[in-house]
Amino acid sequence: MSNANSVRARDEALLRRAFDVALRARAAGDHPFGSILAGPDGVVLMEQGNGFTSEGRDRTAHAERLLASRAARAYDVDFLSRCTLYTSAEPCAMCAGAIYWSGIGRVVYGQTEKALKAATGAHEENPTLDLPSAIVFEAGQRPTEVVGPLLEDEAAALQADFWKTRG
């Protein structure tokens, strides 16, 4: 297996672990989003589901932002620059900013913000910002590699019928 194929296989396996976190968040009553942080060797360091409900209806408690904040407190920027955040949906502008400020150097995501917006509509709990995360990261002074969409159909399935049953 070539190096590119092995990286792709690892990315897909770890992204599916983020999907599992999203499913657990949904089962717990939160929005169906999940993220994991993997070290340079691919070992999972942290996982985080969405916290909208569990954090007291905090609209900023997105899985990526919560995980980036936890990671920034736990690890130095040099280490985080070699880590990857895997997330079920493309980070919104707020989350991309948190990822950037934490120092995480690579992001792999499933569903695009554009596809998420099409799925959720103008839902009051998720007024999606249709801004590609790469634009936010490109505005920064340090590099953040972005890979995605990846496994987008599987990622979109996490959202299936969720927003129609809310509120």
Side-chain angles (χ1 to χ4, degrees):
M1 185 185 299
S2 75
N3 187 43
N5 287 340
S6 65
V7 169
R8 172 79 180 222
R10 180 166 78 177
D11 283 348
E12 288 181 357
L14 290 170
L15 188 55
R16 285 185 173 113
R17 287 193 59 181
F19 294 170
D20 289 341
V21 174
L23 288 171
R24 290 197 309 270
R26 181 176 179 158
D30 271 307
H31 296 169
F33 300 99
S35 298
I36 64 170
L37 180 69
D41 55 3
V43 171
V44 175
L45 305 171
M46 296 179 172
E47 62 178 43
Q48 180 68 56
N50 182 276
F52 175 77
T53 302
S54 59
E55 297 285 327
R57 297 186 61 81
D58 181 352
R59 292 178 301 281
T60 69
H62 296 187
E64 304 93 335
R65 188 199 58 80
L66 293 170
L67 187 133
S69 294
R70 287 176 52 213
R73 289 189 299 270
Y75 303 104
D76 66 38
V77 172
D78 180 58
F79 177 72
L80 287 173
S81 72
R82 296 176 284 123
C83 292
T84 301
L85 185 144
Y86 293 87
T87 188
S88 56
E90 182 175 12
C92 71
M94 173 187 70
C95 292
I99 292 164
Y100 172 80
W101 283 106
S102 75
I104 296 169
R106 186 168 183 264
V107 174
V108 176
Y109 69 86
Q111 186 178 33
T112 65
E113 277 287 280
K114 184 175 282 308
L116 180 63
K117 183 178 181 184
T120 63
H123 198 284
E124 68 182 33
E125 290 182 10
N126 196 46
T128 304
L129 283 168
D130 182 7
L131 177 69
S133 61
I135 291 173
V136 177
F137 294 126
E138 287 168 5
Q141 294 180 313
R142 65 173 161 258
T144 305
E145 180 185 354
V146 179
V147 177
L150 189 61
L151 307 174
E152 191 165 19
D153 289 342
E154 290 178 45
L158 299 167
Q159 307 292 328
D161 298 327
F162 180 82
W163 300 101
K164 292 178 180 117
T165 63
R166 301 276 301 182

